[in-house]
């Protein structure tokens, strides 16, 4: 079997379900094998950033491997930003780049798409991936592929594979199955002992869950653990949407000063904060009303568990949760605490001629969910993401930490491809200008997302922090008018009545994407973003 086929079979065996890509001359032989072998379906988009975001979202949702295939140089450097975001947010993304063959590499000529040296691209991706391989030796390739895929799954971070075009069809042995991970059982046992002792001694324990819980497929297990321990579950900002379909759904999302005050107080005053898969980032904890003393917390993330001033290295989250479940009796020796009331989300949008606000958009979507059931959400960065926190909890993919614009639309396409469910995509007009045109690929693959563009002709979130700058002003591009030429349906709405009608029409329209261009006044912010901005100013500006 040829090398490219062995690579594709290994990807499929380890959890990849599709490949997103854009071909180019150095990648053409590989794309030919992808197409003709049928081992994994190929979904081509229009620009490499969209490829990266779509593959990232698919990997996030599936808990398997997202795969992006691109060409050397001009293609690969275009995907650097999405790969950096996937690294920051711990997404299992496999990047496969075509590359010059051995003969042309040895020609002494500078090759088209080459930057500084032929190895510059490999050096760049070494910085933003957790493992890399150049498949230039068919004897070594099976072990290299196995090593890189194992790293991707173990660390839930991107890896990079470079495939010279003259190596695609060379004969190659089968890629060996990934070896099962071994655990340091004495360390794991001691770690579980101390965890349960700390939780039993706490008067107000709280389970705070983050992105690794989804990445390693542990939502059901953590729901069971929370039930046995009898402690409430809260998500971080980046963990929004986790565990919503378990028997112990989270009470809400911790957003510090930007969120529900009762939830904030519960997390910040907990003497047994049990953090699982949480990234210690400014987006998760930067606007805390009260600084959290992480020395008093239990943090299980990045393949280790930290408590106080010491760390149990090499204790992996999956093994840790399994060991806790095996040890916790139905009636755990943990003091149950008073549970907060779940956060109530606004509904009942008044269908009148009132001008639209982000809060009205959230209420309208909540009404839609009440009538038609939940939709998974894909969000871009900006007030569209903060608006999502006012929507009923559901599966969510968003660049909450890396905060790159342009994620929303291609991520929504990747989400629909991976889940088979119709998503709602929330995106601002600035981000839509970047990658919204990927919607033109929906017809080929049967994707039909509902896309809500929050259009205030502005980079409005930037304006909230620097209102005097006129460069935040954008022109009105009339996105809804372009929808039909991209193969979809477009509606432009200004009032709550028009929004309610458009959302209902979108829900019953299947087979085409529906773009609802929601026109907002500059300065109209979601309640959550208003609180977030006030929190940032309170914490960063000098006090009189």
């Amino acid at each position: 079997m040829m090398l490219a086929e062995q690579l594709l079979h290994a990807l499929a065996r380890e959890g990849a379900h599709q490949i997103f890509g854009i071909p180019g001359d150095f990648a053409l032989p590989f794309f030919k094998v992808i197409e003709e072998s049928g081992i994994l379906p190929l979904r081509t988009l229009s620009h490499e950033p969209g490829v990266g975001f779509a593959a990232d979202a698919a990997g996030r949702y599936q808990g398997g491997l997202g795969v992006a295939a691109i060409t050397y140089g001009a293609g690969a450097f275009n995907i650097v930003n999405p790969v950096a975001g996937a690294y920051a947010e711990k997404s299992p993304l496999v990047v496969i780049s075509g590359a010059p063959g051995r003969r042309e590499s040895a020609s002494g000529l500078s090759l088209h798409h080459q930057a500084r040296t032929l190895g510059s691209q490999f050096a760049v991706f070494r910085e933003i991936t957790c493992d890399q391989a150049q498949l230039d030796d068919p004897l070594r390739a099976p072990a290299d592929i196995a090593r890189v895929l194992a790293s991707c799954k173990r660390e839930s971070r991107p890896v990079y594979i470079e495939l010279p075009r003259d190596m695609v069809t060379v004969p190659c042995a089968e890629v060996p199955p990934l070896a099962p991970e071994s655990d340091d059982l004495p360390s794991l046992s001691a770690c579980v002992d101390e965890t349960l002792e700390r939780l039993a001694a706490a008067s107000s324990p709280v389970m705070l869950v983050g992105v690794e819980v989804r990445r390693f497929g542990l939502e059901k297990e953590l729901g069971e653990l929370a039930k046995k321990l009898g402690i409430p579950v809260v998500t971080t900002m980046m963990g929004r949407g986790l565990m919503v379909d378990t028997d112990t759904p989270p009470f809400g999302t911790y957003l510090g000063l930007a969120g529900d005050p009762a939830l904030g107080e519960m997390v910040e005053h907990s003497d047994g904060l049990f953090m699982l898969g949480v990234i210690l980032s400014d987006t998760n904890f930067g606007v805390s009303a009260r600084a959290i003393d992480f020395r008093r917390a239990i943090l299980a993330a990045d393949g280790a568990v930290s408590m106080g001033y010491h760390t149990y290295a090499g204790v992996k989250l999956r093994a840790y949760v399994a060991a806790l479940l095996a040890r916790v009796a139905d009636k755990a020796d943990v003091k149950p605490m008073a549970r907060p009331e779940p956060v109530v989300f606004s509904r009942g949008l008044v269908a009148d001629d009132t001008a639209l606000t982000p809060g009205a958009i959230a209420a309208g979507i909540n009404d839609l969910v009440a009538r038609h059931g939940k939709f998974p959400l894909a969000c871009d960065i900006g007030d569209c993401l903060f608006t999502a926190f006012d929507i009923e909890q559901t599966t969510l993919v968003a660049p909450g930490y890396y905060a790159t614009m342009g994620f929303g639309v291609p991520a929504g396409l990747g989400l629909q491809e991976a889940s088979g469910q119709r998503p709602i995509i929330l995106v601002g007009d600035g981000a839509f200008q970047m990658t919204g045109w990927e919607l033109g690929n929906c017809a080929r693959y049967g994707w039909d997302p509902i896309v809500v563009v929050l259009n205030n002709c502005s980079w409005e979130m930037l304006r909230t922090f620097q209102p005097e700058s006129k460069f935040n002003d954008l022109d009105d591009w009339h996105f809804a008018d372009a929808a039909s030429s991209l193969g979809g349906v477009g509606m432009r709405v200004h009032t709550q009545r028009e929004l309610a009608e458009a959302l209902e029409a979108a829900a019953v329209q299947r087979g085409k994407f529906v773009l609802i261009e929601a026109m907002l006044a500059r300065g109209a912010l979601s309640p959550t973003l208003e609180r977030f901005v006030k929190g940032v100013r309170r914490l960063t500006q000098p006090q009189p």
Side-chain angles (χ1 to χ4, degrees):
M1 193 177 291
M2 65 182 74
L3 193 158
E5 290 175 314
Q6 296 289 15
L7 172 58
L8 293 169
H9 279 297
L11 289 167
R13 186 183 66 215
E14 301 305 333
H17 296 279
Q18 66 285 118
I19 296 175
F20 294 89
I22 294 178
D25 55 350
F26 289 115
L28 283 174
F30 180 50
F31 274 72
K32 179 180 174 68
V33 175
I34 297 172
E35 182 176 78
E36 294 182 353
S37 70
I39 297 168
L40 287 170
L42 174 64
R43 305 293 184 242
T44 60
L45 297 181
S46 303
H47 198 206
E48 285 84 6
V51 167
F53 292 138
D56 177 351
R60 292 185 192 213
Y61 176 82
Q62 291 163 170
L65 300 176
V67 184
I70 35 80
T71 194
Y72 178 76
F77 289 129
N78 264 335
I79 208 172
V80 165
N81 181 57
V83 177
Y87 187 92
E89 299 194 351
K90 300 184 180 180
S91 187
L93 176 64
V94 180
V95 180
I96 305 170
S97 174
R102 288 167 295 180
R103 179 178 296 179
E104 54 201 329
S105 296
S107 69
L109 298 173
S110 294
L111 303 180
H112 63 285
H113 297 331
Q114 178 182 330
R116 182 176 179 179
T117 70
L118 287 174
S120 294
Q121 177 174 308
F122 197 93
V124 167
F125 278 88
R126 184 184 290 118
E127 187 68 22
I128 55 173
T129 57
C130 69
D131 206 344
Q132 313 81 31
Q134 187 175 48
L135 305 183
D136 55 1
D137 181 344
L139 296 178
R140 196 180 64 240
D144 285 345
I145 293 169
R147 185 198 76 245
V148 167
L149 297 187
S151 295
C152 187
K153 296 185 73 171
R154 181 180 62 251
E155 298 191 32
S156 190
R157 279 197 157 112
V159 294
Y160 174 70
I161 296 174
E162 196 165 280
L163 180 56
R165 60 177 166 184
D166 62 351
M167 298 298 295
V168 169
T169 59
V170 300
C172 181
E174 182 179 356
V175 177
L178 306 191
E181 293 185 273
S182 60
D183 298 304
D184 182 343
L185 296 181
S187 178
L188 178 61
S189 179
C191 180
V192 169
D193 285 343
E194 184 172 355
T195 298
L196 295 177
E197 288 171 5
R198 283 175 172 261
L199 291 175
S203 59
S204 54
V206 177
M207 182 182 289
L208 185 65
V209 296
V211 295
E212 285 189 10
V213 172
R214 167 67 57 80
R215 307 294 192 261
F216 294 113
L218 294 172
E219 291 174 79
K220 181 180 178 182
E221 288 83 354
L222 279 186
E224 183 181 351
L225 181 61
K227 191 174 183 179
K228 285 186 174 183
L229 291 173
I231 61 178
V233 178
V234 179
T235 75
T236 62
M237 178 180 180
M238 290 181 63
R240 175 74 171 194
L242 290 172
M243 298 176 63
V244 293
D245 296 320
T246 68
D247 292 337
T248 51
F251 284 86
T253 298
Y254 172 69
L255 298 171
L257 291 167
D260 179 81
L263 279 179
E265 183 172 348
M266 182 175 70
V267 170
E268 292 166 8
H269 290 265
S270 172
D271 61 349
L273 189 58
F274 188 22
M275 299 190 294
L276 295 146
V278 171
I279 297 176
L280 298 183
S281 67
D282 55 355
T283 50
N284 281 333
F285 300 104
V287 290
S288 298
R290 179 177 185 265
I292 296 172
D293 185 356
F294 293 112
R295 295 169 300 178
R296 301 181 63 187
I298 302 167
L299 173 62
D302 289 317
V305 179
S306 297
M307 303 182 222
Y309 293 98
H310 64 279
T311 296
Y312 293 90
V315 175
K316 304 171 189 69
L317 188 61
R318 185 178 287 110
Y320 179 57
V321 171
L324 283 167
L325 276 172
R327 292 275 294 278
V328 176
D330 289 336
K331 296 293 184 181
D333 188 21
V334 175
K335 304 177 185 70
M337 63 175 291
R339 295 181 173 239
E341 291 296 321
V343 175
V344 177
F345 299 95
S346 62
R347 291 183 182 173
L349 178 69
V350 179
D352 60 14
D353 292 330
T354 303
L356 284 178
T357 63
I361 292 172
I365 293 174
N366 286 333
D367 291 344
L368 188 74
V369 167
R371 295 192 300 272
H372 295 278
K374 289 184 177 180
F375 298 78
L377 280 179
C379 287
D380 220 289
I381 198 64
D383 202 11
C384 54
L385 177 56
F386 288 94
T387 298
F389 294 117
D390 296 322
I391 295 172
E392 294 276 357
Q393 295 193 73
T394 186
T395 296
L396 171 69
V397 293
Y401 166 42
Y402 188 65
T404 181
M405 292 175 69
F407 180 90
V409 170
L413 305 184
L415 179 59
Q416 181 160 13
E417 172 68 23
S419 69
Q421 302 175 58
R422 189 186 198 190
I424 292 177
I425 299 172
L426 297 181
V427 58
D429 54 316
F432 193 92
Q433 289 180 11
M434 294 181 176
T435 56
W437 315 107
E438 296 288 3
L439 290 172
N441 296 293
C442 287
R444 280 191 294 159
Y445 302 118
W447 301 325
D448 59 352
I450 298 172
V451 184
V452 182
V453 182
L454 282 66
N455 188 357
N456 43 30
C457 299
S458 171
W459 288 320
E460 194 62 30
M461 187 169 176
L462 301 180
R463 189 189 304 278
T464 61
F465 293 103
Q466 194 163 296
E468 69 276 12
S469 298
K470 296 187 182 301
F471 54 67
N472 290 317
D473 297 345
L474 301 177
D475 289 334
D476 186 354
W477 284 27
H478 292 266
F479 301 115
D481 292 346
S484 60
S485 65
L486 295 173
V489 176
M491 294 176 274
R492 186 172 167 109
V493 299
H494 296 81
T495 68
Q496 294 185 169
R497 176 184 291 107
E498 292 171 346
L499 174 66
E501 293 171 352
L503 285 170
E504 185 60 29
V508 299
Q509 168 74 60
R510 294 306 308 259
K512 292 183 176 182
F513 76 83
V514 178
L515 190 157
I516 300 173
E517 187 178 13
M519 303 306 297
L520 303 171
R522 289 175 181 167
L525 305 179
S526 68
T528 304
L529 180 55
E530 286 185 344
R531 294 192 297 268
F532 181 82
V533 171
K534 289 178 182 177
V536 170
R537 288 174 176 161
R538 170 181 160 181
L539 296 172
T540 59
Q541 292 181 354
Q543 300 298 312

